[in-house]
Amino acid sequence: AGFLIIFKPSVDDKYKAQKKYAKSHIKKLSCSYPAEFVDAFRDACNTLGVKQSEVIREAMNKIIEQANKSQGD
């Protein structure tokens, strides 16, 4: 009987691959608002059971769609 050696990527290798992908495909969007406004937004998202990032993504998609429609006029 022989031995079968399987090499699994290490956690570090997976992290490096994710980081490499993110560097070329992902951008961060940073913005600042008054603390009360941010707290109210966070609380509203929690109350509604939605993720803050998803609400922001939906708002961004809505603006992109509106811009695309206005360019088509």
Side-chain angles (χ1 to χ4, degrees):
F3 290 98
L4 177 63
I5 300 173
I6 299 174
F7 293 99
K8 287 180 66 178
S10 71
V11 173
D12 287 340
D13 290 338
K14 288 182 182 181
Y15 176 72
K16 286 178 186 175
Q18 289 173 346
K19 196 171 181 180
K20 182 179 178 182
Y21 176 85
K23 187 173 183 178
S24 60
H25 293 89
I26 305 293
K27 289 188 178 186
K28 287 187 178 186
L29 180 65
S30 179
C31 52
S32 299
Y33 296 102
E36 286 184 18
F37 181 68
V38 173
D39 292 343
F41 177 67
R42 182 197 61 233
D43 293 345
C45 289
N46 288 339
T47 297
L48 297 173
V50 296
K51 292 182 179 182
Q52 294 176 44
S53 60
E54 187 58 33
V55 173
I56 294 167
R57 181 181 350 244
E58 288 176 12
M60 291 171 71
N61 279 326
K62 184 176 177 181
I63 292 297
I64 292 167
E65 289 171 12
Q66 287 177 359
N68 289 340
K69 286 179 185 177
S70 72
Q71 289 177 352
D73 291 344

